Amino acid sequence: LPSPTSRPARPHSPPPLDHPGVQASMAAPIPIALVGCGDIFSHHASAVLAHPELFSVACVCDPDAERVAAASAQCGGCPTFATLADALASDAVSFDAVDLMIPHHLHEEIAGQAFSAGKHTLLEKPLSTSVASCRRILAAAEASGVVFAVAENAQFIPDVVKAKELIDAGAIGEVYFARANLWESTLDSEFAEV
């Protein structure tokens, strides 16, 4: 297998958000639909809401009325819909991007709706439930011309970044196998360093 540093750059990789060209082109925040208001929702919503200069929550979608109402309240009372299809069909809301935090078996169907509507899409991991479905999702994203990403954030965790630096520097020799257990501490910060 090629090493991560020898892989060619992806031809359609977008520049980072802090790139001067991206900042200059973003005169207004990107309106985004948050789809799926389950366990991971608050993490995604908090990240979006922390950057009002970049994003605005146009609507939230979830078939569970209690969850979608709570999500709307968290996002400042934005419009709610039971499904992404309902939001796409509505004249009451407009958005350029979607953040899909939905059950895995729905990824292909709902991502396909977003791509068909020309919406830039962030899809919570895993990409899908089978290799064939993953390939169809990737082909549909490519054909649509939208920006598409999978919310796979582990590579940005400081310990993972450091481990990669050590591996790339040859500090631990050739790696044949690696395994990691990552978890989010619920301890107060004063105890997290003990």
Side-chain angles (χ1 to χ4, degrees):
L1 294 173
S3 73
T5 55
S6 69
R7 291 185 194 136
R10 290 180 53 128
H12 302 293
S13 295
L17 289 176
D18 61 354
H19 184 278
V22 171
Q23 292 294 319
S25 69
M26 294 180 67
I30 298 169
I32 187 167
L34 302 178
V35 183
C37 303
D39 293 340
I40 199 72
F41 174 85
S42 63
H43 295 284
H44 286 243
S46 295
V48 168
L49 294 169
H51 295 283
E53 73 284 7
L54 299 176
F55 306 104
S56 64
V57 179
C59 65
V60 293
C61 307
D62 195 285
D64 184 295
E66 282 186 35
R67 278 199 316 223
V68 79
S72 174
Q74 183 179 345
C75 295
C78 64
T80 64
F81 297 92
T83 67
L84 175 60
D86 293 341
L88 291 168
S90 174
D91 291 331
V93 67
S94 175
F95 50 93
D96 297 330
V98 297
D99 182 349
L100 302 178
M101 303 158 281
I102 54 180
H104 307 151
H105 71 280
L106 299 174
H107 283 193
E108 185 175 358
E109 175 189 347
I110 307 300
Q113 292 173 10
F115 301 150
S116 293
K119 305 301 181 187
H120 304 299
T121 303
L122 177 65
L123 179 62
E124 181 59 46
K125 62 187 171 293
L127 179 55
S128 194
T129 57
S130 72
V131 172
S133 178
C134 291
R135 288 182 175 142
R136 289 189 300 266
I137 290 171
L138 293 172
E142 183 72 24
S144 73
V146 301
V147 174
F148 172 65
V150 176
E152 179 56 72
N153 59 335
Q155 68 268 29
F156 302 111
I157 296 171
D159 291 344
V160 174
V161 170
K162 184 62 175 177
K164 183 176 181 336
E165 288 173 5
L166 292 170
I167 291 167
D168 288 348
I172 61 173
E174 189 172 351
V175 176
Y176 293 98
F177 177 80
R179 182 176 185 173
N181 291 312
L182 303 171
W183 56 278
E184 186 175 334
S185 174
T186 57
L187 299 174
D188 291 337
S189 61
E190 67 184 89
F191 298 110
E193 305 209 7
V194 176

